[in-house]
Amino acid sequence: MSVIVGRLREIGRYPAIATAIAVLSGAGVFALATTVFAYHSTNHDEAVYLMQAAMLLEGQLELHVTEATDAFRPWFFIEDGNRLYPKYTPVPAAMYAVSMALFGEPRVTLAAIAAGNTALVYLLGRTVFDRPVGIVAATLFAASPLAIVTTSVFLPYAPTTFLNLLFAVAYLRNLRTKSLATACVAGIAIGLAFFARPYTAVLFAAPFVVHALYRVTTSIRDGGLLPPADPVRQHGATALFGLLFVGVTLAYNLQMTGSPLLFPYEAFAPLDGPGFGRRQIL
């Protein structure tokens, strides 16, 4: 009996340790953001996301001006007649806007994202391996300079990482629980990640998509399409919500650029695609 009690205490200790690591990660990022990066970094993209956040709080996706566009244009904004709209999608800015509205301080979002990413890394390690591996993974992630610095400034990398990690954790948990709720969460997370940074989301989701297609095709081959088996229902729900936000992304493109397949990023600089070579911004 004492062995069982000791084992239960040991298991219960890991979530508390993971929570402590996540809280310390968030507090450390907030401290760094308010001291070292009190006046932001040398990356001018921060201004774009903060201006987008302010625009969203005023219910605007674009600016409407007159002759002033010839004299002044915000950094990384596209001029289209009397309209100015940012080259970046509004998902990261919306995250910053939440804490701006609630606390008057967008850096609260940075701390929340740091804590969230650390917690999700723990859950991912625990799901794939075990709790000790999750603790080690969360510690290494929270202490890595790349995670600390990129989360302490107003850039899209940490928010998109949060969405991708949430997708991965929900997807893997869904395989075990067969819960439609977690399947829907996975679809919403990767859909939002696609809206935020399409190329990153597609690269991250590709192995999961291949795995899902394999499970679905195997299930249909073995049992037929009707009634739908668990893999068909689970991955179908994930795909449904993921594609819903793909549709939102294309609708946003249509509103901003006039074409669902023309992203604002590409409208700003057509030659700034993946890979090396000439950059339009030059």
Side-chain angles (χ1 to χ4, degrees):
M1 185 64 179
S2 60
V3 175
I4 296 176
V5 172
R7 180 58 179 167
L8 290 175
R9 288 177 178 173
E10 181 182 351
I11 292 175
R13 195 179 302 129
Y14 288 115
I17 295 173
T19 301
I21 296 171
V23 170
L24 287 174
S25 174
V29 162
F30 186 81
L32 191 67
T34 53
T35 54
V36 176
F37 297 113
Y39 299 100
H40 308 297
S41 68
T42 57
N43 192 325
H44 296 172
D45 290 13
E46 285 193 88
V48 183
Y49 291 104
L50 289 175
M51 186 167 181
Q52 271 188 294
M55 291 167 58
L56 290 173
L57 290 178
E58 296 179 357
Q60 298 184 31
L61 291 174
E62 56 192 23
L63 301 175
H64 293 271
V65 294
T66 55
E67 67 277 356
T69 54
D70 294 330
F72 170 78
R73 186 198 304 179
W75 177 255
F76 277 172
F77 271 65
I78 300 136
E79 179 183 352
D80 181 18
N82 66 339
R83 294 192 311 141
L84 290 172
Y85 61 90
K87 65 179 286 190
Y88 299 124
T89 60
V91 175
M95 295 183 177
Y96 303 139
V98 171
S99 58
M100 289 173 65
L102 295 177
F103 308 105
E105 175 53 79
R107 290 179 177 87
V108 174
T109 294
L110 301 181
I113 288 174
N117 279 340
T118 302
L120 288 170
V121 168
Y122 164 74
L123 292 175
L124 189 61
R126 187 193 71 176
T127 302
V128 177
F129 296 100
D130 53 28
R131 289 179 175 84
V133 169
I135 293 294
V136 173
T139 303
L140 292 176
F141 176 84
S144 65
L146 183 63
I148 294 172
V149 173
T150 55
T151 314
S152 300
V153 293
F154 295 99
L155 296 175
Y157 311 115
T160 307
T161 298
F162 175 82
L163 294 171
N164 284 328
L165 287 173
L166 180 60
F167 160 71
V169 170
Y171 181 95
L172 294 175
R173 183 170 180 80
N174 176 52
L175 295 181
R176 293 186 175 183
T177 64
K178 297 180 174 57
S179 167
L180 283 180
T182 54
C184 295
V185 169
I188 293 171
I190 198 61
L192 282 171
F194 180 86
F195 194 5
R197 291 178 64 82
Y199 188 66
T200 303
V202 169
L203 286 179
F204 188 89
F208 296 90
V209 172
V210 172
H211 177 261
L213 289 175
Y214 172 77
R215 293 189 75 226
V216 169
T217 53
T218 302
S219 174
I220 294 175
R221 182 193 62 194
D222 295 342
L225 182 60
L226 295 176
D230 288 338
V232 177
R233 293 187 298 105
Q234 295 163 11
H235 300 309
T238 301
L240 175 63
F241 281 92
L243 291 175
L244 175 64
F245 281 95
V246 171
V248 172
T249 305
L250 299 182
Y252 177 81
N253 292 346
L254 180 63
Q255 172 66 26
M256 293 293 106
T257 68
S259 170
L261 300 180
L262 179 62
F263 290 82
Y265 192 100
E266 185 181 1
F268 178 85
L271 297 183
D272 282 2
F276 300 96
R278 177 177 171 80
R279 290 293 182 266
Q280 183 67 37
I281 194 173
L282 296 178

